[in-house]
Amino acid sequence: MRLDRIDKTELVLLDVIRCVDNTGLENTSISGTTVNVSETGMQVSAGICLPVATRVGLRLDCDAHLYRLEGEVRWSNEDGKHCAGLEIDRDSPDYLAWTQMFELDL
């Protein structure tokens, strides 16, 4: 498994599953873009601050393949870009396909 982060800008739809710090975000969809991606996670810019520990469903059309993933916000910042680091759940529906993408050396 490679842990390299690859700069990649793709549209991503985040469906908030659980947000303890802001329950008003739950069951909402947020459009964002990836900043970089790796086998185990991604950095996204979402236009709003996503609190740490927020669970999200992700829909990402990358390289002509739709990936359905789930993840958790591990870090976030509010420096005007509202970036968040997401760790992808290994039990996600398309996790295996996602990791295989990195074997192709994006």
Side-chain angles (χ1 to χ4, degrees):
M1 175 184 343
R2 289 184 26 210
L3 298 178
D4 301 341
R5 292 215 166 264
I6 299 165
D7 291 338
K8 193 161 188 67
T9 303
E10 299 286 346
L11 294 177
V12 61
L13 184 63
L14 300 100
D15 296 317
V16 179
I17 298 169
R18 184 182 71 243
C19 183
V20 175
D21 289 348
N22 184 352
T23 56
L25 286 177
E26 293 178 358
N27 299 315
T28 60
S29 295
I30 301 164
S31 179
T33 56
T34 61
V35 175
N36 59 53
V37 297
S38 74
E39 287 183 53
T40 58
M42 66 183 67
Q43 180 179 343
V44 299
S45 176
I48 67 167
C49 183
L50 293 170
V52 171
T54 299
R55 294 282 305 162
V56 293
L58 305 162
R59 286 180 276 168
L60 173 67
D61 190 357
C62 184
D63 298 329
H65 184 73
L66 177 63
Y67 295 97
R68 296 165 298 131
L69 305 166
E70 288 189 13
E72 182 173 313
V73 176
R74 304 301 285 172
W75 62 265
S76 65
N77 66 31
E78 296 184 50
D79 65 357
K81 296 181 183 179
H82 299 292
C83 288
L86 305 176
E87 180 178 15
I88 298 172
D89 187 339
R90 293 177 184 263
D91 294 327
S92 297
D94 292 325
Y95 184 76
L96 182 58
W98 175 257
T99 60
Q100 290 173 342
M101 176 178 62
F102 291 89
E103 294 172 9
L104 302 175
D105 292 322
L106 296 175

